[in-house]
Amino acid sequence: MFVPLERLINLEEGYRRTFRVNGQTLLLLVVDNRPVLIEDRCPHQGAPLSAATLEGDVLRCPRHGLAFSLSSGRAVQAGCPGLNMFRLAYEGDRVGIDV
Ligand code: FES
């Protein structure tokens, strides 16, 4: 089932917004003109990543400063689990997620 999140026309560089889907908080961002959907939860200790800083495609968690690549989802630091990433789906003029 397709769950729409946002209209394509609103996906501008710098876009960042959270959505609740099936009890999970998801974070949709546009980085390098590419939409990326991740869980809004740091894999380290669960801080919300919606408040993270962004440098290039590297997202840095505000709580302890661990960094994650939005291209690969991997943590920059060895030994830390990567981001929980979701595949985006498209229907009409909307981007969303298949659940
Ligand atoms: S909770 Fe994100 S770095 Fe620790």
Side-chain angles (χ1 to χ4, degrees):
M1 184 185 71
F2 178 75
V3 176
L5 298 177
E6 184 59 273
R7 293 171 58 128
L8 292 173
I9 199 167
N10 293 331
L11 295 182
E12 298 175 335
E13 188 65 23
Y15 176 96
R16 187 186 291 208
R17 192 177 151 195
T18 56
F19 299 87
R20 277 302 275 184
V21 178
N22 282 351
Q24 249 180 337
T25 305
L26 307 182
L27 175 62
L28 178 62
L29 309 111
V30 177
V31 180
D32 292 335
N33 293 309
R34 190 174 64 94
V36 181
L37 186 65
I38 62 174
E39 187 177 6
D40 186 27
R41 186 174 191 283
C42 179
H44 179 228
Q45 285 183 12
L49 289 172
S50 44
T53 56
L54 190 59
E55 254 181 63
D57 79 334
V58 173
L59 198 64
R60 188 172 294 280
C61 178
R63 189 169 297 169
H64 308 106
L66 296 189
F68 303 88
S69 162
L70 287 175
S71 303
S72 65
R74 293 202 185 101
V76 172
Q77 307 74 200
C80 180
L83 296 171
N84 191 11
M85 301 184 89
F86 299 88
R87 183 196 299 259
L88 286 166
Y90 296 86
E91 205 172 288
D93 67 344
R94 308 270 172 162
V95 63
I97 183 172
D98 279 322
V99 296

